[in-house]
Amino acid sequence: MKGSGFPVGIIIGFLIALGLLYLYHYGYLSGILGNVSALLQHNQSTIGGTTIPTNYMNQTTNSSQLSLDEYALSLINQARKSYGLTNVTLSMEQSGVQHSDNMLAYGYLSHWDIYGMKPYMRYTLLGGRGAVDENVGYVSNESCGLLGCRGTINVRNAVKNIINSMLNNDSQCCNNGHRYNILDPNHNQISIGIGYNSSTVYMTQDFIDNYTTWNTNSPSYYNGQVSLSGSLQNGYSISQVIVSYDQPVQNMSVAQLKSTFSYSYGQQVAGVVSNPLAYYPNITTIDADRYSINGQSFDIAFNMQNVVKQYGAGEYTVMLWLSNGGSGQNSTFVGSTYTVFINGSLQAYAPKNV
């Protein structure tokens, strides 16, 4: 006597069909990018010994990476052009590449890195002598099921989505900080980093203000003495020289990094004056040993040893503020930064393997 249940073949066929429907629904058969989420962070710059292994910072980009950089650059410059702004050009410094690679390797989104360094610190270590304002963004494929994630992420689309979110969907998350960075008229260069794997894309945009041609061995720091000498592009002049302070860098966990957001230049602790009758209220005033301006050329030297003794080990960033001769909020800006690392013996040191 035959049983009264469904035939085994129909049951097997039904299960196979169900499995195929599941795979299709979650995209394992489609191989295309599904829904993505873009998470963003930006710099809200307000003025307000550890050995760091950084040998990996000097990585070079291959041709495919460069084409992505150029694609991102074209989107950014299209936005700038639509507002009547000049193009930014790709910088030789690899700060953007280094940071995106680090975020991808350790799985975090932050302006800090696992060594506790902020963008302007990394920028100095990589040879940068302008000033950097950083945007970072992240896109991840969310169409995942029990068998993994949906297809392979489309990196070019992810880059476009990150930039579009920064320009057009930034007010709720970040007070339009990304947008202001992209459309800042003083930025003239950018270091772009795009780190990715099959399911995730990290992007760093290090916007740079670079208006100074520095003399050999400048800027420099030795035994408390700071030397700044070079020449500015026509139309720009020195507004002020400020020194800021950050606590000593320390390695950070991924959990700590994920809890960070915007960054600043640390605590403003000193200002440099050329006139002994001038002073900075609420911070230390340093009388310059030399403060010579001749046309677009400048030669400034001062000693900040007493400031270092007062605050101790940490990172001291010398900021050269510039004026572009205009008016409004963009008329003065930080045109160059130079970070000096000071150890517990109050001596300058450079992280190893840089």
Side-chain angles (χ1 to χ4, degrees):
M1 183 176 177
K2 294 182 180 179
S4 60
F6 287 106
V8 174
I10 293 178
I11 295 175
I12 293 175
F14 177 76
L15 291 175
I16 291 174
L18 226 109
L20 290 174
L21 182 63
Y22 175 86
L23 292 174
Y24 178 80
H25 175 73
Y26 284 103
Y28 303 117
L29 303 181
S30 62
I32 62 173
L33 174 64
N35 296 326
V36 298
S37 64
L39 304 178
L40 309 172
Q41 286 195 7
H42 72 283
N43 168 27
Q44 295 177 326
S45 285
T46 54
I47 300 305
T50 301
T51 298
I52 304 174
T54 50
N55 54 307
Y56 68 94
M57 287 184 173
N58 296 318
Q59 297 172 352
T60 58
T61 55
N62 57 37
S63 58
S64 63
Q65 182 70 43
L66 184 61
S67 67
L68 280 173
D69 293 348
E70 290 175 340
Y71 175 64
L73 180 68
S74 69
L75 295 177
I76 289 168
N77 280 332
Q78 285 173 25
R80 290 177 65 87
K81 183 178 179 180
S82 68
Y83 284 86
L85 303 175
T86 58
N87 286 351
V88 291
T89 59
L90 284 177
S91 169
M92 296 297 292
E93 282 83 27
Q94 295 293 293
S95 59
V97 175
Q98 179 269 330
H99 192 49
S100 286
D101 287 350
N102 193 263
M103 289 191 293
L104 179 67
Y106 293 95
Y108 68 90
L109 182 73
S110 175
H111 292 298
W112 283 260
D113 59 25
I114 62 168
Y115 310 114
M117 289 192 293
K118 298 179 184 179
Y120 52 91
M121 300 174 187
R122 295 190 294 268
Y123 183 65
T124 291
L125 291 176
L126 288 168
R129 296 297 182 264
V132 62
D133 288 323
E134 183 173 273
N135 287 346
V136 292
Y138 160 89
V139 165
S140 180
N141 188 345
E142 287 187 335
S143 296
C144 300
L146 296 176
L147 301 182
C149 294
R150 177 178 183 174
T152 300
I153 196 166
N154 186 313
V155 180
R156 193 171 291 262
N157 284 351
V159 167
K160 184 177 181 179
N161 289 340
I162 290 173
I163 295 174
N164 182 65
S165 292
M166 289 178 173
L167 283 166
N168 303 308
N169 190 28
D170 200 46
S171 59
Q172 185 174 4
C173 105
C174 307
N175 296 319
N176 283 321
H178 295 98
R179 179 181 175 85
Y180 294 149
N181 241 352
I182 293 174
L183 301 179
D184 189 321
N186 291 315
H187 296 330
N188 57 3
Q189 294 181 346
I190 186 172
S191 176
I192 296 175
I194 302 169
Y196 62 92
N197 55 29
S198 62
S199 64
T200 308
V201 177
Y202 285 93
M203 184 176 187
T204 302
Q205 303 164 1
D206 278 349
F207 287 95
I208 297 168
D209 301 331
N210 191 359
Y211 296 94
T212 305
T213 300
W214 292 98
N215 293 339
T216 303
N217 299 324
S218 184
S220 65
Y221 176 88
Y222 182 72
N223 282 346
Q225 191 76 11
V226 177
S227 176
L228 309 169
S229 62
S231 59
L232 300 174
Q233 290 185 18
N234 290 332
Y236 294 87
S237 59
I238 295 175
S239 172
Q240 56 184 339
V241 180
I242 298 292
V243 179
S244 70
Y245 170 75
D246 285 282
Q247 293 287 334
V249 293
Q250 296 181 8
N251 289 353
M252 297 180 69
S253 68
V254 171
Q256 288 174 315
L257 289 166
K258 287 182 176 180
S259 67
T260 63
F261 190 60
S262 61
Y263 70 94
S264 74
Y265 280 113
Q267 178 186 358
Q268 181 176 325
V269 295
V272 181
V273 297
S274 58
N275 183 346
L277 297 180
Y279 73 98
Y280 282 87
N282 304 320
I283 61 174
T284 299
T285 297
I286 300 176
D287 293 325
D289 298 322
R290 294 193 312 274
Y291 205 115
S292 172
I293 307 292
N294 184 11
Q296 296 306 111
S297 299
F298 62 91
D299 182 19
I300 300 172
F302 62 93
N303 195 297
M304 67 176 194
Q305 196 165 31
N306 287 337
V307 175
V308 171
K309 288 180 180 178
Q310 180 179 354
Y311 289 92
E315 288 66 60
Y316 293 81
T317 299
V318 179
M319 297 179 290
L320 193 67
W321 281 76
L322 302 182
S323 171
N324 58 21
S327 59
Q329 63 179 2
N330 291 313
S331 60
T332 58
F333 59 98
V334 180
S336 180
T337 65
Y338 178 67
T339 299
V340 180
F341 293 78
I342 300 294
N343 63 23
S345 301
L346 303 188
Q347 300 297 312
Y349 77 99
K352 294 182 179 179
N353 302 318
V354 175

